[in-house]
Amino acid sequence: QVQLVESGGGLVQSGGSLRLSCTASGFDFSRSAMTWVRQAPGKGLDWVASIGSQNPGIRFTSGSLYAGSVKGRFFISRDNARNTLYLEMKDLKNDDTAVYFCAKGGSSNYELSPDRQGTQVTVSS
């Protein structure tokens, strides 16, 4: 069963930075694209960023994609040896306030963890 545990959220002032982590288990992390999505209060899920498996044994897996609203401020990365996905967030804005979830898969076919815990990011003015 896919298990994804997010951490690293918190309260930060506008312009500040945070680094989110997601520890994965229950599947072959090193062969899977991974994604971050977020859900602002009262809204649906918004795709944030995706990254390929970066597995040298799989073709076309080294890229990353970003939503326009976060491009240039957020950076997605992964450590396949640690089964961990990261999201470095800089120059945070009030609109970045949301619960952030990591997901297995790419931007168009991601799968959230069944318990969907997420990590809360709150940006204050």
Side-chain angles (χ1 to χ4, degrees):
Q1 181 179 357
V2 172
Q3 289 193 337
L4 302 166
V5 179
E6 302 89 347
S7 62
L11 175 63
V12 62
Q13 287 190 330
S14 180
S17 301
L18 280 175
R19 188 195 196 201
L20 306 184
S21 299
C22 168
T23 302
S25 61
F27 64 101
D28 191 344
F29 179 82
S30 69
R31 299 183 66 84
S32 178
M34 294 295 294
T35 288
W36 284 99
V37 298
R38 65 187 180 185
Q39 186 168 25
K43 297 187 178 181
L45 288 172
D46 278 337
W47 171 73
V48 175
S50 297
I51 186 169
S53 70
Q54 297 191 330
N55 187 320
I58 303 175
R59 296 181 66 190
F60 310 124
T61 62
S62 61
S64 55
L65 296 171
Y66 297 90
S69 59
V70 307
K71 197 168 186 179
R73 300 187 298 120
F74 290 13
F75 178 68
I76 188 171
S77 63
R78 63 191 296 159
D79 184 340
N80 286 346
R82 298 178 182 271
N83 281 13
T84 302
L85 178 72
Y86 302 101
L87 185 68
E88 189 82 33
M89 306 185 295
K90 299 180 179 180
D91 190 21
L92 283 161
K93 305 178 187 303
N94 291 348
D95 287 347
D96 296 319
T97 294
V99 179
Y100 284 71
F101 304 93
C102 65
K104 174 181 177 288
S107 59
S108 60
N109 63 344
Y110 58 82
E111 173 188 357
L112 292 168
S113 180
D115 60 6
R116 200 179 290 195
Q117 291 186 349
T119 187
Q120 176 71 49
V121 172
T122 303
V123 184
S124 64
S125 300

